[in-house]
């Protein structure tokens, strides 16, 4: 009886190989950090990863540049506290917001964070990033920067999305005359990095 069930399972996975191979990436939590106009104010969001946290702090540098920083502890302007940072060096006088989404790979237990422009709260559009702790759990690693992926007409890829457990970097629609551009992100455990391949946009929302 057990062999029969095993045979049925093998046949099922053979018919649907993506179910056997794909990591189960799921969104966990999401927030928008609107960067204050004053250099004396900050906004902060802590995401839980069980026995540790990921601390995001948004604000302006001493030169007034808006940005977001991942910190160990303390104030985000302390240089030795920053684990990862993104400052908008050409947008000192603009209204800036970041949309941050926590994702979990349920196969490995790893957490990743999509950092995207909070379009409804921001005056500008900018590239997006995927970051997370490295395999040691001591450093924050930048896994994806959307500017390194091709999209036609100079449009930036604007979001990280999940569909049936798969993970994508995408701009789903460029307008009525052109489909979007979608890259499937594929986790490589040995390299501690995401590989990718370009796929038909319908794969991400069919």
């Amino acid at each position: 009886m057990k062999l029969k069930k095993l045979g049925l399972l093998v046949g099922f996975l053979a018919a649907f190989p993506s179910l056997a191979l794909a990591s189960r990436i799921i969104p966990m939590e999401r927030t928008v950090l609107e960067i204050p106009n004053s250099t004396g104010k900050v906004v902060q969001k802590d995401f839980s990863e069980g026995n540790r946290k990921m601390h995001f702090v948004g604000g302006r540098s001493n030169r007034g540049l808006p940005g977001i920083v991942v910190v160990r502890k303390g104030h985000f302007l302390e240089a030795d506290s920053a684990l990862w940072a993104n400052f908008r060096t050409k947008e000192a006088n603009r209204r800036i917001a970041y949309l941050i989404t926590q994702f979990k790979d349920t196969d490995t237990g790893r957490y990743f964070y999509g950092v995207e422009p909070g379009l409804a709260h921001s005056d500008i559009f900018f590239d997006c990033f995927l970051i997370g702790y490295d395999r040691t759990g001591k450093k924050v690693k930048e896994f994806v920067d959307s500017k390194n992926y091709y999209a036609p007409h100079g449009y930036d890829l604007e979001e990280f999305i999940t569909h049936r457990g798969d993970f994508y970097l995408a701009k789903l629609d460029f307008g009525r005359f052109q489909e979007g551009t979608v890259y499937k992100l594929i986790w490589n455990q040995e390299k501690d990095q995401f590989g990718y391949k370009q796929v038909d946009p319908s794969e991400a929302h069919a």
Side-chain angles (χ1 to χ4, degrees), residues 55-192:
H55 307 279
F56 286 88
V57 181
R60 293 181 182 267
S61 70
N62 292 330
R63 294 188 296 155
L65 301 177
I68 193 170
V69 178
V70 175
V71 298
R72 287 190 180 89
K73 60 182 179 179
H75 195 277
F76 85 107
L77 293 178
E78 297 174 359
D80 61 351
S81 181
L83 297 172
W84 178 87
N86 175 255
F87 280 93
R88 312 311 305 172
T89 58
K90 298 181 180 180
E91 286 95 25
N93 299 317
R94 306 296 291 273
R95 187 165 64 98
I96 306 292
Y98 291 86
L99 172 65
I100 305 170
T101 305
Q102 182 191 56
F103 297 96
K104 183 178 182 180
D105 183 337
T106 60
D107 287 348
T108 65
R110 296 279 292 269
Y111 289 87
F112 305 98
Y113 298 85
V115 180
E116 308 165 19
L119 295 179
H121 309 271
S122 182
D123 288 342
I124 65 166
F125 183 84
F126 48 87
D127 44 333
C128 53
F129 306 89
L130 186 70
I131 67 171
Y133 283 109
D134 67 3
R135 59 168 50 128
T136 70
K138 297 179 180 180
K139 296 181 179 179
V140 171
K141 183 175 180 177
E142 186 176 285
F143 296 98
V144 173
D145 181 345
S146 63
K147 71 182 179 183
N148 296 325
Y149 296 74
Y150 171 77
H153 305 304
Y155 287 98
D156 288 322
L157 298 155
E158 64 186 10
E159 62 181 335
F160 296 98
I161 59 176
T162 61
H163 182 63
R164 297 178 179 174
D166 290 324
F167 200 27
Y168 302 91
L169 170 65
K171 185 174 180 65
L172 291 177
D173 185 10
F174 287 103
R176 58 183 296 188
F177 298 111
Q178 185 169 355
E179 290 186 330
T181 298
V182 176
Y183 292 92
K184 185 176 183 178
L185 302 175
I186 305 166
W187 180 246
N188 186 316
Q189 185 74 11
E190 291 184 1
K191 294 184 178 180
D192 196 41

